Amino acid sequence: MEEAAGPGADDTILARLDRLRAADLPVHGGRTMAYVYDSGLAGLDDLAARAQAAFAGVNGLDMTAFPSVVTLENDVVRQAADLLGGGPATAGTFTSGGTESCLLAVLTAREHAARTRGVTAPEIVLPQTAHAAFHKAAALFGLTPVTVPVDPGTFRVRPQDVAAALTPRTALVVASAPSYAHGVVDPVPEVAAAAAERDVLCHVDACIGGWYLGHRRLADGIAPPPPFDLAVPGVSSLSVDLHKYGYTPKGASVLLFRDAELRRHGWFAHASWPGYPVVNATLQGTKSAGPLAAAWAVLQRVGTAGYAELARRVHEATALLVDGIGRIDGLRVLGAPDASLVAVAADDPGPDPFVVADEMRLRGWYLQPQPAFAGSPANLHLTVTAAVADPARIAELLAELAAAVQRARALGPATVDPGIAEVAAALDPATLGPAEVALALEVAGVGADGSLPQRMAPVLAVLQALPAPLTERLLPEVISRLYAG
Ligand SMILES: Cc1ncc(COP(=O)(O)O)c(C=O)c1O
């Protein structure tokens, strides 16, 4: 616990915050290849911080009291719609992030299905590669997820599998542009057509890649991405995060709808209480206009040509990276990435990817481990942002990666005692008590205080060997231990 500073000691307080951040992954410089997005543009973060500070106290709860919020939101939504195939009827909502955009897309579809088609037990059709946010939405809003496998070679969903999964209860079909895990774009035109044929809504999750792909399309001399946006017939909504490839501060995403009539189904209004009349377009009540103002400012500053240039740099860097990884003995890229996300698996026999991640982390690079799931082997996720998009940085990354592979081979893979997997398979996650949970975490290498070892490969190997429901029971316990009480 940090000691309290006295009143007036602003510098001391800020210095303490800086000290806390020292333990975090760096958010600038391009060596953290997940979670953070660095444009590398001088002064951009300062502008965003000033805009954010100026609007921090403005409350987006009541747009009539704070009309600036409406103006900023209209501007940002219009820019997103213009970029991503919208027309004059396109409507949108600024949200706090990709998860909230996905949640609202699902909530809207549920209400639309109930009100226009009388669906009372709604289902949502999801490629196996759809983001976890849709499963969260299904759990929160009472929809049944119907998961469709993806092609084991391309990791794209097959339209005929989506069509076969549709029932009279389907409220929404989801396609990714691109998927987080493999960075590939689902066949949006065919998936949307299958949905439209059954009068079902289709959401394109372009949270991570939409801003990048939309601008890459505008960059000269680069092959355009596959069609994925609102211009595709049958696509009824699309989410795109600005706090990713818009390089805005966190808390910024846009959810676009084909029209305001569809959008209204997700809004909540309440006048049956003694307080102020409520209209919420998003999940939050009171919400700071800071992230919106910061996003607006960053969009104004970078501009369309600026984003197209950033997208060109990211595209070239991703191509260099994919090519270079293909030349490292023992590594291979999963699928053929359509965007700027790369999933790197190991040949068989080859190095343990999780050990490679540990080795990279020890040298200041964060590559994100993705455990094996369905047909997707254990791999490392790399998000390429503009800050790393310099051929010299990519060469440095590839050299580090090649060296990490050598070291990982020498160390050997993280292994799991087969007995543990056997015992774990027999456990019922629903009935695990505190003592069993504590034992399971100890076996996985997690400390009583939730602390994790510096080398994560053994922990990840155990988690990967456990059935998903058991992992889902244990993960919150790990995090819970990090918090006091
Ligand atoms: C495809 C996709 N959808 C949704 C999300 C969720 O976004 P957020 O983390 O901003 O809530 C992500 C995050 O990476 C994503 O990649």
Side-chain angles (χ1 to χ4, degrees), residues 38-395:
D38 181 5
S39 70
L41 297 178
L44 193 65
D45 288 0
D46 288 342
L47 170 71
R50 285 165 63 192
Q52 178 138 2
F55 276 75
V58 173
N59 195 343
L61 170 65
D62 185 343
M63 312 79 181
T64 62
F66 300 100
S68 63
V69 172
V70 178
T71 304
L72 295 177
E73 188 159 341
N74 277 340
D75 278 2
V76 168
V77 165
R78 180 44 45 202
Q79 259 177 277
D82 288 348
L83 179 72
L84 295 169
T90 305
T93 301
F94 182 87
T95 79
S96 65
T99 298
E100 191 179 20
S101 288
C102 297
L103 293 178
L104 288 170
V106 176
L107 180 63
T108 304
R110 185 194 73 178
E111 292 304 292
H112 178 266
R115 293 172 192 169
T116 65
R117 292 165 40 217
V119 176
T120 51
E123 296 171 349
I124 175 169
V125 172
L126 298 172
Q128 219 161 31
T129 46
H131 194 275
F134 293 99
H135 293 273
K136 179 175 181 172
L140 287 175
F141 303 141
L143 291 88
T144 303
V146 176
T147 308
V148 177
V150 297
D151 181 293
T154 65
F155 299 100
R156 296 187 184 96
V157 77
R158 288 170 292 225
Q160 65 272 27
D161 292 341
V162 171
L166 297 174
T167 75
R169 293 178 299 283
T170 311
L172 185 66
V173 171
V174 171
S176 307
S179 61
Y180 183 83
H182 306 102
V184 297
V185 175
D186 283 325
V188 172
E190 293 82 358
V191 168
E197 204 169 296
R198 301 283 293 258
D199 216 8
V200 168
L201 299 176
C202 175
H203 179 78
V204 172
D205 178 8
C207 278
I208 194 160
W211 205 252
Y212 161 71
L213 290 176
H215 285 98
R216 198 181 89 188
R217 200 159 48 187
L218 304 176
D220 287 339
I222 299 178
F228 71 95
D229 65 16
L230 280 170
V232 174
V235 173
S236 47
S237 59
L238 178 148
S239 47
V240 56
D241 294 354
L242 301 176
H243 65 199
K244 294 190 170 92
Y245 284 94
Y247 301 105
T248 76
K250 303 243 179 282
S253 173
V254 175
L255 174 58
L256 297 172
F257 293 97
R258 67 181 175 208
D259 54 35
E261 169 56 18
L262 175 57
R263 181 181 63 180
R264 80 171 172 92
H265 290 288
W267 286 18
F268 177 78
H270 193 74
S272 311
W273 74 306
Y276 54 89
V278 169
V279 186
N280 289 161
T282 59
L283 298 175
Q284 291 171 294
T286 282
K287 57 181 178 186
S288 169
L292 170 61
W296 184 90
V298 169
L299 263 50
Q300 297 284 314
R301 162 82 175 270
V302 179
T304 303
Y307 279 120
E309 172 56 18
L310 289 172
R312 189 186 57 72
R313 298 187 62 208
V314 167
H315 171 73
E316 285 168 3
T318 309
L320 276 179
L321 190 61
V322 168
D323 180 62
I325 289 168
R327 291 166 199 274
I328 297 177
D329 186 31
L331 295 185
R332 67 195 167 96
V333 171
L334 293 178
D338 289 312
S340 50
L341 317 170
V342 184
V344 184
D347 291 330
D348 190 14
D352 179 337
F354 299 158
V355 178
V356 173
D358 282 342
E359 290 297 319
M360 291 297 280
R361 183 128 189 213
L362 289 170
R363 281 152 187 89
W365 291 88
Y366 180 79
L367 314 187
Q368 187 181 50
Q370 300 195 121
F373 177 73
S376 180
N379 68 86
L380 301 177
H381 166 105
L382 283 73
T383 292
V384 179
T385 70
V388 83
D390 159 1
R393 287 314 289 284
I394 295 293

